[in-house]
């Protein structure tokens, strides 16, 4: 990677998905640049880079922009292969674990946190999340569901305890992996927001010790940059992505096709442009923006829809 292309993370400190990326920086001892974005829209310097994708975090390296932690982790593993996120042949399990941690476990944690915070949640945040989700962000319903959310949180954390009981200090055995970072996200999120986290986890001593080990990984070497500076880096750089077709694409998509890419659950804002690279796990599209210049935006395939643009 050229020295003049920093690894930039657009994030906010309270974001649990951003915490996953920060821990990967720590695990791989990466020097990175932090660009703090608002917890809510608007984000006028970031949207030109992403084409409208508004979930957090986003990683930028020059004029290549990586959306979703799946995409971010694949690129970090490619550029910084040691230490690996997948020691001991754990890659399949580690990737698949995100479908648990980022969906059902995360939704449970969100409902528990915001139901407990209740009237402390700003109205501006509620309105922003309703736009993001395309549905009501019902704090009253979350508050009413707290007993069920405690039950479910206990069940999820119990699975971590059971896995740790099987052997080494990490979920995959004797080395930290992406499996640990995925599972830790929700434990970190609840502990960061709720004083009752200790009593919720009191019966899980292995989880408590594991949590301390993950936290000790740290965040690598962090420096700060403004959103305007990051936008200028994107505008001044040239995308490094090489054109690549996927000969096994089940829908016959190819480089040059005009497509809409969007998450399949929430934040369903379509980013439209032409395919520049395609694989079973990722899709990259090349965009031209008046503010950002020529950029390539990268998305994962799992959890995202790719539709022909009409």
């Amino acid at each position: 990677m050229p020295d003049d292309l920093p690894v930039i993370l657009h994030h906010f400190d309270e974001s649990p998905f951003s915490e996953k990326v920060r821990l990967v920086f720590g695990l791989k001892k990466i020097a990175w640049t932090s660009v703090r974005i608002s917890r809510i829209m608007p984000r006028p310097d970031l949207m030109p880079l992403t084409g409208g994708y508004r979930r957090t975090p986003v990683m930028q390296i020059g004029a290549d922009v990586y959306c979703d932690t799946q995409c971010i982790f694949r690129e970090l593993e490619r550029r910084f292969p040691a230490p690996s996120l997948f020691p001991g042949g754990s890659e399949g399990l580690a990737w698949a674990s995100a479908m648990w941690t980022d969906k059902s476990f995360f939704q449970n944690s969100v409902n528990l946190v915001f139901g407990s915070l209740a009237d402390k949640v700003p109205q501006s945040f509620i309105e922003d999340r309703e736009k993001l989700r395309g549905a009501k962000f019902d704090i009253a319903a979350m508050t009413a569901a707290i007993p069920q959310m405690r039950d479910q949180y206990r069940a999820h954390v119990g699975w971590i305890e059971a896995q740790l009981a099987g052997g080494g200090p990490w979920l995959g055995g004797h080395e930290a992996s992406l499996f640990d970072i995925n599972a830790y996200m929700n434990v970190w999120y609840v502990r960061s927001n709720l004083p009752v986290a200790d009593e919720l986890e009191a019966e899980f001593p292995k989880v408590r010790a594991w949590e301390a080990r993950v936290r000790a990984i740290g965040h690598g070497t962090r420096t700060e940059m403004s959103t305007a500076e990051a936008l200028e880096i994107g505008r001044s750089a040239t995308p490094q992505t090489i054109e690549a077709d996927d000969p096994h694409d089940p829908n016959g998509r190819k480089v040059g096709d005009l497509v809409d890419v969007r998450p399949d659950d929430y934040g369903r804002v379509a980013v439209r442009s032409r395919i520049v690279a395609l694989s079973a796990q990722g899709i990259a599209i090349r965009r031209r923006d008046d503010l950002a210049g020529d950029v390539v935006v990268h998305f994962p395939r799992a959890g995202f829809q790719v539709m022909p643009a009409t």
Side-chain angles (χ1 to χ4, degrees):
M1 183 175 67
D3 291 339
D4 59 348
L5 291 180
V7 176
I8 299 171
L9 187 70
H10 299 258
H11 69 129
F12 54 89
D13 290 330
E14 302 86 354
S15 162
F17 289 94
S18 299
E19 178 65 8
K20 290 209 297 184
V21 181
R22 295 187 293 253
L23 283 168
V24 171
F25 292 151
L27 186 65
K28 292 181 173 290
K29 296 179 171 54
I30 295 171
W32 60 285
T33 300
S34 161
V35 172
R36 300 190 193 197
I37 59 175
S38 169
R39 292 181 69 181
I40 63 175
M41 298 294 278
R43 296 168 181 160
D45 292 332
L46 179 56
M47 292 301 101
L49 291 167
T50 67
Y53 175 84
R54 55 152 300 180
R55 297 188 347 185
T56 306
V58 170
M59 186 176 76
Q60 174 194 351
I61 301 178
D64 283 278
V65 178
Y66 301 87
C67 300
D68 193 272
T69 54
Q70 285 185 73
C71 237
I72 292 170
F73 295 151
R74 287 189 185 280
E75 187 61 18
L76 290 175
E77 183 75 359
R78 185 182 75 83
R79 291 175 182 261
F80 307 95
S84 176
L85 294 176
F86 314 109
S90 62
E91 184 170 359
L93 177 62
W95 287 123
S97 71
M99 296 298 111
W100 158 50
T101 62
D102 295 12
K103 292 183 180 290
S104 65
F105 194 3
F106 176 62
Q107 192 58 54
N108 165 231
S109 300
V110 165
N111 289 340
L112 178 60
V113 166
F114 283 99
S116 301
L117 295 177
D119 56 1
K120 297 183 179 68
V121 183
Q123 185 60 32
S124 59
F125 183 89
I126 293 172
E127 292 170 358
D128 179 80
R129 289 309 187 262
E130 287 181 342
K131 292 176 183 176
L132 177 65
R133 290 166 171 248
K136 185 175 177 59
F137 194 76
D138 195 336
I139 298 293
M142 294 179 192
T143 301
I146 284 175
Q148 287 71 38
M149 293 303 102
R150 287 174 176 159
D151 287 346
Q152 292 191 31
Y153 183 77
R154 182 188 184 204
H156 286 297
V157 176
W159 292 344
I160 301 173
E161 181 82 5
Q163 181 66 20
L164 290 167
W170 306 99
L171 292 177
H174 295 285
E175 296 178 75
S177 71
L178 184 58
F179 190 9
D180 295 282
I181 288 168
N182 282 339
Y184 175 76
M185 174 186 77
N186 292 293
V187 175
W188 174 86
Y189 187 49
V190 170
R191 180 168 298 285
S192 298
N193 288 281
L194 299 182
V196 299
D198 277 341
E199 69 181 66
L200 286 171
E201 298 165 18
E203 64 182 299
F204 304 119
K206 293 185 182 300
V207 169
R208 298 294 298 279
W210 165 83
E211 182 184 354
R213 287 192 292 274
V214 179
R215 187 166 54 249
I217 290 171
H219 291 163
T221 303
R222 171 175 173 169
T223 57
E224 299 293 331
M225 176 183 288
S226 71
T227 59
E229 289 174 300
L231 180 59
E232 179 57 34
I233 286 175
R235 179 168 46 239
S236 301
T238 300
Q240 300 299 302
T241 302
I242 298 171
E243 288 190 358
D245 270 316
D246 176 6
H248 304 292
D249 186 273
N251 294 293
R253 299 185 184 90
K254 60 187 182 301
V255 169
D257 287 353
L258 183 65
V259 293
D260 287 335
V261 185
R262 59 167 63 86
D264 66 6
D265 47 8
Y266 66 93
R268 294 170 55 84
V269 177
V271 182
R272 173 174 295 186
S273 201
R274 296 194 181 276
I275 296 173
V276 65
L278 198 62
S279 72
Q281 299 299 334
I283 181 169
I285 58 177
R286 186 183 298 272
R287 303 182 55 254
R288 173 73 186 175
D289 184 274
D290 290 343
L291 294 176
D294 290 315
V295 295
V296 170
V297 189
H298 302 252
F299 299 94
R301 301 299 291 273
F304 280 70
Q305 295 176 338
V306 181
M307 305 293 291
T310 57

